[in-house]
Amino acid sequence: MRLTLKATVAALLVALTAAIAGGVVAATQSSDEAALQPTRGPADRSIERKVNNLLGQMTLEEKLQQIQLLSDGQITDEDARNGVGGVFSLTDPQRINQLQHIAVEESRLGIPILFAFDTIHGFRTIFPIPLGAASSFDPDVVSDDHRIGARESAAVGLKQIYSPMVDVSHEARWGRIAEAAGEDPYLNSVLAAARVKAAQGSDYSDKRKVVTSPKHLAAYGEPEGGRDYNTTDMSEQRLRNLYLPPFKAAIDAGADTSMCSFNAINGVPGCANEHTMLEILKGEWGFDGFVESDYTAVAELRACPPVNPDEGPCGHGVAEDGPAAGALALNTGVDSEMVSTNIRDFGEELLADGRISQERIDDAVRRILRVKFRAGLFDDPYVNPDRADDAQLRPGALRQARRAVGRSTVLLKNDGILPFDPSLKTAVIGPLGDNQHDMLGPWWGRGDDDDVVSLLTGVRGQSPGATFAQGCTLSNAEPPTEDPEGCGSDAGFAEAVATAEAADQVILAVGETREMSGEAAARSNIDLPGMQEQLIEEVVSATDKPVAVVLFNGRPLALENIVDSAPAILEAWFPGVQAGHGVADVVFGEVNPGGKLPVSFPRRVGQVPIYYNHEPTGRPCDPNVKWNSRYRDIPSCDPLFEFGFGLSYTTFEVSNLRLSRDSVGPNGSLQAFVDVSNTGDRRGDEVVQLYIHDPVASISQPVRRLRGFERVRLARGETRTVTFTLDKSDFGFYDNSGEFVVEPGRIDVYAGNSSKADMSASFEVR
Ligand code: BGC
């Protein structure tokens, strides 16, 4: 039965894609078939003709080579001559050009190579990590990041980026929470679409543009226990309501490639997942680009120990050996195999044995060629290495990166001490106070530590003569080491206290090293590593100076132990190359912080996963009542800082929520209006947030769901009205059979400046 279904879906897709490619799309189609209609215009017809023409000339061996994607460490001249499809992580424009010349001039059909790279938050001009940029609640910030990242990448000869990373996550322990936009599907969707559009433009054959690859399909952000690569088990409604929307948004924005994930969902690995790759991505969404596997993810389908250890790692145990893994991946929707070589190596034998079909091989190759034609590679395959450097680290890019830091910083607490006066004597203290390396975060592209403005340098630029004491040193070492996180001794604390004493105001820079987040960097404890809490305690209690804690980190931290003693806390994330300037702008009030948390900050790690858009329970949490959904040892049901929270140096009032109508048909829409006023004494930004809740539904609905936000800048005393439109994409939801349903009944709307928004109004869906 399963095989039949798989074969049917695969065959349907292959047949339809072939029909589309031939420009023959029947006028009467089922809705599934209709979903596969090409959305592009006549320009693509000529591309399809070229693709078919080329495909018709290719041998089986050449087709299998196109399916192969090799790393910078693997690629040889011979691979290029044999017509390999893609290469990633190679960024030297001379070598890229050399290989491209071999591919175009010496391979039989002259098909150019697609060169790819992980330009996640910048190539050379590194922007704040995506979790940080998400705090801006500003699509312009991520657009700047991806426009500049695309230009710098394209300038060295890259034409694909493995970005945006769109994995919604509730897992603060997971290191890769740093790479996407946090816990909310709507925020992730808006920012994913903005990143795709900025990197690709309206036509990614443009020399400054690249094709994007939203990843990792799917639900990679929810590994059990927060350990990277670990298994995920979830309902269909969760998959569709929480994890898939950012992928859909990225595909709708034009993303033409996507990467399947390492993890298994419900026992089915991402790169063997017919449901996500074939039925949903290529079927329901009509995606006509290609899917690349993640790094060795095809080999990892094999059982351990592997029949042939030379074929890379093993693990999932859904394929007996390399040939079985290659067949499974190809048959379930993988078009391009990264690093492992099962489809290429065993394709011929698999085809002869009838385990894969010629149609499916052609479909995969057609998708790859289609993207290469759209990318303009056949017209203009080469890069000019002499111009590659000119595109990097341009002054305008650095200005945008600095602005991004200011907009991404979140003020978590302020007892009235910030902003500091730059003419007073400032001390910078802490292990990350004069640091360049860690500021780049866990994906630093081709960013260079030397490019980075450290916090101390940035502070000295505005408060000359600022002093410095490190207090302790964090560790970049891989465990097991004696002191894996570093800051294991208080030997430098006395000097830190003395330096603070001698100044008028103190910036205390603490957090994580960049090695503590990102891939394969889960932490079971999300407190400040080492003795940094004690360092804060000592500096605050031993002096009477105002102390502002600045956090550099890649995940939500548990700050329960420092939140009362620290007079001010700024969350700066890993801010990138302009770290010091951008953070100094906020500390000294050049920039009034307006960022908001894209992820909940728990009080302690034991609360994880904790997220604002949870479902209600029959025993809603009450910390003081037994028989409720609570922790008996935490006197609160809330996180320490909730999703959407962030302060400013001014104050705002969000008021007067009203709706344009009190009822709406299932296909209708309505507007919500909210007033926002700056009630303080300086100009500032507020993020007005609109949430909804469906109180009675066929399946329990989240207590709040973000469905609109707008960051507005207001002069003091100014009031503005923000308008949001709601339609069924907002008040409908997916049920457990995967159907999108719009149910009649009341919908509650909440407006405010965090997920605790309690001003409400209601309307009826008829
Ligand atoms: C990561 C991907 C990345 C790929 C290529 C993998 O380990 O999971 O996100 O794109 O490597 O660098």
Side-chain angles (χ1 to χ4, degrees), residues 381-398:
Y382 306 118
V383 62
N384 181 350
D386 297 338
R387 307 244 314 256
D389 281 348
D390 297 349
Q392 316 298 329
L393 283 178
R394 287 192 183 154
L398 291 172

Side-chain angles (χ1 to χ4, degrees), residues 88-89 117-118 120 162-163 165 176 179 215-216 220 228-229 259-260 262 292-295 338-339 443 519:
F88 73 100
S89 285
F117 190 59
D118 291 282
I120 311 292
Y162 295 146
S163 184
M165 204 278 217
R176 300 196 81 171
E179 295 177 39
K215 65 187 187 184
H216 308 79
Y220 178 50
D228 210 354
Y229 319 120
M259 187 185 294
C260 56
F262 287 125
E292 72 266 345
S293 74
D294 204 342
Y295 204 109
M338 187 192 289
V339 177
W443 272 120
E519 189 171 347

Side-chain angles (χ1 to χ4, degrees), residues 396-614:
L398 291 172
R399 272 197 302 278
Q400 301 291 5
R402 177 173 183 164
R403 181 173 169 276
V405 179
R407 289 184 77 74
S408 305
T409 302
V410 187
L411 181 62
L412 295 177
K413 183 180 176 191
N414 189 11
D415 283 351
I417 63 165
L418 287 175
F420 283 166
D421 177 349
S423 67
L424 298 179
K425 193 162 179 215
T426 308
V428 175
I429 292 178
L432 295 170
D434 191 18
N435 173 294
Q436 293 175 294
H437 175 81
D438 295 303
M439 299 296 112
L440 295 178
W443 272 120
W444 54 94
R446 285 293 174 255
D448 189 328
D449 292 0
D450 291 342
D451 299 339
V452 176
V453 180
S454 76
L455 179 62
L456 181 62
T457 303
V459 166
R460 282 186 176 151
Q462 299 186 38
S463 184
T467 51
F468 174 66
Q470 196 176 16
C472 64
T473 314
L474 289 169
S475 166
N476 292 324
E478 261 301 290
T481 55
E482 253 178 40
D483 182 16
E485 299 201 311
C487 196
S489 145
D490 63 1
F493 288 13
E495 189 203 348
V497 169
T499 307
E501 259 320 321
D504 302 316
Q505 54 198 8
V506 180
I507 304 170
L508 194 35
V510 293
E512 300 179 301
T513 64
R514 76 184 192 196
E515 287 77 11
M516 291 177 195
S517 60
E519 189 171 347
R523 291 182 65 211
S524 65
N525 175 351
I526 56 169
D527 294 349
L528 281 167
M531 296 178 69
Q532 294 182 97
E533 287 181 357
Q534 289 89 323
L535 174 65
I536 296 171
E537 207 53 56
E538 290 260 327
V539 172
V540 170
S541 61
T543 69
D544 54 0
K545 304 299 156 75
V547 178
V549 171
V550 174
L551 298 169
F552 296 107
N553 48 295
R555 57 162 56 75
L557 295 172
L559 302 172
E560 188 180 43
N561 296 334
I562 64 145
V563 70
D564 291 334
S565 50
I569 306 176
L570 271 173
E571 175 54 80
W573 308 106
F574 291 121
V577 272
Q578 288 287 292
H581 288 321
V583 173
D585 288 342
V586 175
V587 168
F588 296 117
E590 273 301 305
V591 168
N592 188 350
K596 302 281 180 176
L597 292 180
V599 68
S600 307
F601 273 43
R603 290 165 194 276
R604 346 195 159 140
V605 71
Q607 285 180 302
V608 173
I610 185 167
Y611 47 99
Y612 85 93
N613 49 353
H614 60 85

Side-chain angles (χ1 to χ4, degrees), residues 17 21 48 51 288 366-374:
T17 318
E48 295 307 323
V51 168
D288 66 1
R366 189 175 272 124
R367 289 169 179 276
I368 293 165
L369 295 179
R370 182 178 289 137
V371 170
K372 290 186 175 184
F373 274 108
R374 287 180 183 164

Side-chain angles (χ1 to χ4, degrees), residues 102-136:
I102 297 174
V104 172
E105 290 153 25
E106 298 177 34
S107 76
R108 193 180 72 90
L109 292 169
I111 302 175
I113 296 172
L114 182 65
F115 290 94
F117 190 59
D118 291 282
T119 300
I120 311 292
H121 51 111
F123 178 76
R124 182 78 190 271
T125 305
I126 305 301
F127 274 65
I129 55 168
L131 192 61
S135 306
S136 71

